[in-house]
Amino acid sequence: MQSREHVSGIAARFAIWSARHRALAIIGWLVFVVGVTVLSGHLGTVQAKDADFGNGESGRADKVIADAGFPVREAGEMVIVRSQSTVDDPDAQAAIAEVRTAVQATGATGPVGEPLRSEDGRSALLTFTVRGDPETAKDRVGPVLDAVAAVQARHPQLYIGEAGDASGDKLIGDDLDEGLNRLSMLSIPVTLGILLVAFGAVVAALLPVLLAVTAVVAAAGLLAFASRLAPAVDTTMHVMLLVGLAVGVDYCLFYIRRERDERRAGADRHRALVVAAQTSGRSVWISGLTVIVAMAGMFFTRDTTFVSFAVGTILVVATAVLGSLTVLPALLSALGDRVDFLRIPGLYRKRTEGRVWSAILRLVLRRPLVSALLATAALGLIAFPALDLRTKGEGVEDLSPSAPITKAFVAIQTAFPGGSDPAEVVVRAQSVTGPAFDAAVADFTRQALATGKLHEPVTVEVNPAGTVAVVRVGLSGSGSDRASEEALSVLRGTVAPATLGTLPGAWVGVTGGTAGSKDFNDQLARSMPVVFAFVLGLAFVLLLVSFRSVVVAVTGVVLNLLSVAAAYGMLVYVFQYGHFESLLDFRAADGITNWMPLFLFVILFGLSMDYHVFVVSRIREGHDRGLPTRRAVSEGITRTAGVITSAAAVMVAVFALFATLPLASTKQLGVGLAAAVLLDATIIRAVLLPAVMAMLGERNWWLPRWLGWLPQVAHEPPAPTADRELVTAAR
């Protein structure tokens, strides 16, 4: 639809309105950001409760426990004492006695239980709880850890270590908080530094950072309102920061760079703004829609964490798009050429075409088939390990292997299989007390231990009403490895139904860490085809409508899938095969964190569309001006090389910071995203895309006749008369 100024599209209309009412647009944006932040502070964000999580049988069992009225369980802690010979020797017995005395002397714990002896006789396990609210137990466990460490110092020939709910939360909380604070402190300066190099001017570099930060702040405020419909999880804000900083900076970078390029090409400042709105503004609008579509795919998982991620990322992307289309044109109109104020000598350049990329592009266009084959082979080689991709739940192996608490967890799991993360068999019946229930528990214990896959201790806890019981039993293996999943299968398929399941009217379900991980994996396996189909299908439709080309839409989807496959390959190579363990401070596991493949897919597919839409729009713009396809490809890639490189550098730098966080999942997230963006901006956009488009020629723009009804979308800049009213208004 055309306006009377001959400007088409939402982005250009917003730009014209914002430039004509720039004070209102700027003040309105600030009021919006401050307003939602203040209101959200009064309203508060609804956090997801334990009962909101869970899938399948474990999820139902968790809800039964939550509704049964059990007293709040205090945070459990364990201390292992391990001897080279036997725990019966005098030194080990003395250490056990000292641990009990030292722990109880802190006054922060309940009674210390009798030591449990391991099967090999070399280890003893002491259990106790930290008094008070389990949610804040990590703040009170410090003296207990110090007391245990003091006993260890007096007995260097033994191994004495503490692990448990409170100490684990303290390790994760302290290290993660420290890492996130470091990330927050570094991400913005790093981004600003890259933008200073990209623009060579302080004001131009500050604009993207300011808009990205305000977009994240506003989206965080909006999350408080949205959490009434979909409760938020703790990590949602971190994901919002990650995505918001990336897309917010990218969108501003695309917009400002085009406006500056037009200005340096001789356009007056008002004409330059209209051209930027009609071209880069439109790319921002399409990219934002595509990213939102990709994020919306997470709704199909019906998982609390993924739904929270979807809501948060959609809000931050939508807010970044809104700011890029409204307040950014107003700021550019108000600043004019002062956007280049405070130029940095040696960095400020009037032309942005990179000579290196231009040289590479000449080689690619001279031999497009060879270039395409080499690029595809390189991506295939990087993606090849993805054929061996396996997934696993998060467990102790995801913590820093050098941390004392992690070492204690591993020692406990080795000496007492399943002791640190037992399975919980939930029994709901009219009565779970009396001789019949006691006999069923005795039979359960006998059959469980006879399997060799289920281990002591076996404990029973009954709710005050006597209608729900939780029977805990250790599983072989660790967390979600194959041994523990085999033990879970035996428990669910044989032992529990044949014993506790025979009670009259009883419902029996198994939960716990391993069961929850297994059910989560099963739920993801069922939902992933739907998510992939939704994201790929709608992305194809958006590209088809935007560029009126089936070939461009197919090419975009395939290239983005290559980027995702390469990221999967890198994750397997590093985290599953164990490369760079010492550098990244992690321990290789037999799988990737179970939520990572789906999350990386939606994030990468959305972010890759930023580059694809921006580059292809510039190529289509040249084609619509009458340039041959190969010339349009050359011009489009060359003129976008600088901004793509800068945008990719920002994303890679921010994502790489996540690899410094203590959890294996955050390291996987950082490495996967950084590697994929780097490959996407180099091999895919600078080599494979131009090579494929050069070989296809005019066939790039093929559209079947029966799709001729699709709307015509102008990619070329508007005629100079288009901004006449804007010029008049600005004057």
Side-chain angles (χ1 to χ4, degrees):
M1 185 170 67
Q2 300 277 333
S3 74
R4 59 188 176 138
E5 297 94 6
H6 307 292
V7 172
S8 62
I10 294 175
R13 292 171 181 275
F14 277 2
I16 288 176
W17 184 91
S18 297
R20 292 176 61 195
H21 307 87
R22 54 198 183 205
L24 180 59
I26 295 170
I27 295 173
W29 176 257
L30 294 176
V31 169
F32 165 66
V33 173
V34 173
V36 296
T37 302
V38 172
L39 288 176
S40 67
H42 289 291
L43 191 63
T45 301
V46 177
Q47 296 291 332
K49 302 179 177 63
D50 289 343
D52 294 322
F53 297 92
N55 299 276
E57 180 180 313
S58 60
R60 293 190 294 273
D62 288 337
K63 287 181 173 57
V64 170
I65 295 175
D67 296 337
F70 281 97
V72 176
R73 291 182 62 200
E74 294 179 331
E77 286 291 298
M78 301 169 286
V79 175
I80 184 172
V81 178
R82 188 177 66 202
S83 171
Q84 294 294 328
S85 54
T86 173
V87 291
D88 292 328
D89 67 49
D91 189 45
Q93 288 296 310
I96 292 172
E98 288 180 36
V99 167
R100 301 187 70 176
T101 302
V103 167
Q104 290 179 329
T106 64
T109 72
V112 179
E114 290 298 321
L116 179 67
R117 184 188 178 97
S118 65
E119 291 181 1
D120 63 6
R122 295 171 55 195
S123 301
L125 188 68
L126 301 168
T127 60
F128 54 91
T129 60
V130 178
R131 289 192 177 125
D133 185 354
E135 297 296 325
T136 59
K138 65 179 182 180
D139 301 325
R140 300 187 300 278
V141 77
V144 183
L145 288 168
D146 293 339
V148 173
V151 178
Q152 168 71 93
R154 292 194 295 271
H155 298 271
Q157 68 277 17
L158 302 175
Y159 172 75
I160 304 172
E162 178 183 350
D165 298 332
S167 54
D169 287 346
K170 179 176 176 59
L171 169 64
I172 297 173
D174 289 352
D175 285 2
L176 192 59
D177 287 345
E178 180 184 348
L180 288 172
N181 289 335
R182 182 175 64 250
L183 186 146
S184 299
M185 291 174 59
L186 290 177
S187 58
I188 293 177
V190 167
T191 300
L192 182 59
I194 294 171
L195 292 175
L196 285 172
V197 175
F199 285 112
V202 174
V203 173
L206 281 172
L207 284 181
V209 174
L210 291 175
L211 189 136
V213 170
T214 54
V216 171
V217 171
L222 294 174
L223 182 65
F225 299 91
S227 67
R228 265 62 194 166
L229 300 176
V233 300
D234 293 338
T235 48
T236 300
M237 273 306 305
H238 309 320
V239 174
M240 290 174 68
L241 174 64
L242 178 82
V243 175
L245 200 57
V247 299
V249 168
D250 273 10
Y251 294 160
C252 289
L253 194 57
F254 296 163
Y255 212 113
I256 296 172
R257 179 70 81 187
R258 185 58 187 266
E259 191 269 347
R260 291 290 83 199
D261 286 348
E262 293 299 322
R263 189 77 179 97
R264 290 160 185 161
D268 63 63
R269 62 192 184 98
H270 311 292
R271 163 75 178 161
L273 182 58
V274 172
V275 171
Q278 183 76 42
T279 54
S280 292
R282 179 184 168 279
S283 296
V284 167
W285 172 243
I286 296 171
S287 295
L289 284 178
T290 309
V291 175
I292 288 172
V293 164
M295 303 305 172
M298 288 188 281
F299 286 124
F300 290 98
T301 64
R302 294 179 296 172
D303 176 79
T304 299
T305 300
F306 276 120
V307 169
S308 179
F309 285 174
V311 171
T313 51
I314 287 173
L315 286 175
V316 78
V317 172
T319 308
V321 170
L322 179 64
S324 299
L325 299 184
T326 55
V327 69
L328 181 59
L331 288 170
L332 291 176
S333 175
L335 288 170
D337 290 337
R338 287 171 294 180
V339 74
D340 286 334
F341 184 61
L342 296 178
R343 298 176 183 178
I344 302 174
L347 293 179
Y348 182 79
R349 299 179 302 275
K350 290 196 171 184
R351 308 303 299 175
T352 60
E353 292 86 350
R355 285 178 290 182
V356 174
W357 288 121
S358 297
I360 293 174
L361 186 60
R362 285 195 295 271
L363 291 175
V364 170
L365 295 180
R366 191 177 302 131
R367 295 287 188 271
L369 178 59
V370 174
S371 301
L373 291 175
L374 289 175
T376 303
L379 290 170
L381 183 64
I382 296 171
F384 181 75
L387 296 175
D388 191 32
L389 189 149
R390 298 185 296 273
T391 59
K392 55 173 281 299
E394 293 187 84
V396 64
E397 65 275 11
D398 295 311
L399 302 174
S400 172
S402 58
I405 295 172
T406 305
K407 294 177 181 178
F409 267 119
V410 173
I412 293 169
Q413 188 63 48
T414 302
F416 302 90
S420 61
D421 186 18
E424 297 182 339
V425 184
V426 180
V427 184
R428 183 179 61 192
Q430 288 186 345
S431 175
V432 290
T433 58
F437 178 73
D438 294 340
V441 171
D443 192 24
F444 171 85
T445 303
R446 180 183 57 79
Q447 292 194 31
L449 300 181
T451 64
K453 298 179 182 295
L454 305 172
H455 306 279
E456 290 184 314
V458 178
T459 62
V460 180
E461 184 179 5
V462 178
N463 72 330
T467 56
V468 176
V470 179
V471 182
R472 296 181 177 87
V473 60
L475 299 176
S476 294
S478 172
S480 59
D481 63 11
R482 292 173 183 173
S484 60
E485 290 194 359
E486 289 176 2
L488 175 66
S489 178
V490 170
L491 178 60
R492 279 181 166 175
T494 305
V495 177
T499 55
L500 300 172
T502 61
L503 292 169
W507 178 88
V508 177
V510 179
T511 185
T514 301
S517 175
K518 176 68 166 57
D519 293 340
F520 180 77
N521 282 342
D522 292 343
Q523 175 66 21
L524 279 188
R526 290 190 295 269
S527 61
M528 280 187 75
V530 179
V531 175
F532 273 64
F534 173 81
V535 173
L536 296 177
L538 279 189
F540 174 84
V541 170
L542 281 172
L543 290 174
L544 176 64
V545 173
S546 300
F547 296 101
R548 287 179 55 85
S549 168
V550 173
V551 177
V552 167
V554 171
T555 302
V557 169
V558 171
L559 292 182
N560 287 338
L561 284 176
L562 284 174
S563 175
V564 173
Y568 288 172
M570 286 293 295
L571 286 182
V572 173
Y573 180 78
V574 175
F575 295 98
Q576 202 168 297
Y577 293 168
H579 294 91
F580 311 112
E581 279 185 312
S582 58
L583 177 64
L584 295 174
D585 190 26
F586 74 96
R587 183 171 55 251
D590 63 350
I592 304 302
T593 303
N594 48 18
W595 55 267
M596 193 63 59
L598 179 64
F599 185 67
L600 275 182
F601 167 72
V602 295
I603 293 288
L604 286 175
F605 201 88
L607 296 181
S608 295
M609 278 297 177
D610 279 354
Y611 300 152
H612 190 76
V613 169
F614 184 67
V615 174
V616 176
S617 293
R618 199 66 183 262
I619 294 172
R620 183 60 188 259
E621 182 184 318
H623 178 268
D624 289 349
R625 292 203 315 269
L627 296 178
T629 297
R630 188 168 294 215
R631 174 71 182 280
V633 169
S634 176
E635 184 179 289
I637 298 289
T638 301
R639 292 188 175 180
T640 57
V643 68
I644 292 296
T645 301
S646 301
V650 169
M651 283 197 184
V652 170
V654 172
F655 294 156
L657 290 175
F658 274 75
T660 66
L661 296 180
L663 299 181
S665 57
T666 58
K667 295 179 188 295
Q668 292 170 16
L669 185 64
V671 170
L673 289 173
V677 170
L678 182 61
L679 292 171
D680 189 82
T682 53
I683 296 178
I684 293 178
R685 303 301 160 201
V687 179
L688 192 54
L689 175 63
V692 170
M693 294 192 74
M695 288 189 293
L696 290 173
E698 290 300 313
R699 286 168 293 186
N700 281 293
W701 319 113
W702 177 72
L703 184 73
R705 289 184 180 179
W706 58 273
L707 288 177
W709 54 269
L710 290 175
Q712 293 280 351
V713 180
H715 291 265
E716 59 181 335
T721 56
D723 55 344
R724 184 175 301 155
E725 185 171 329
L726 175 62
V727 175
T728 303
R731 287 176 178 170

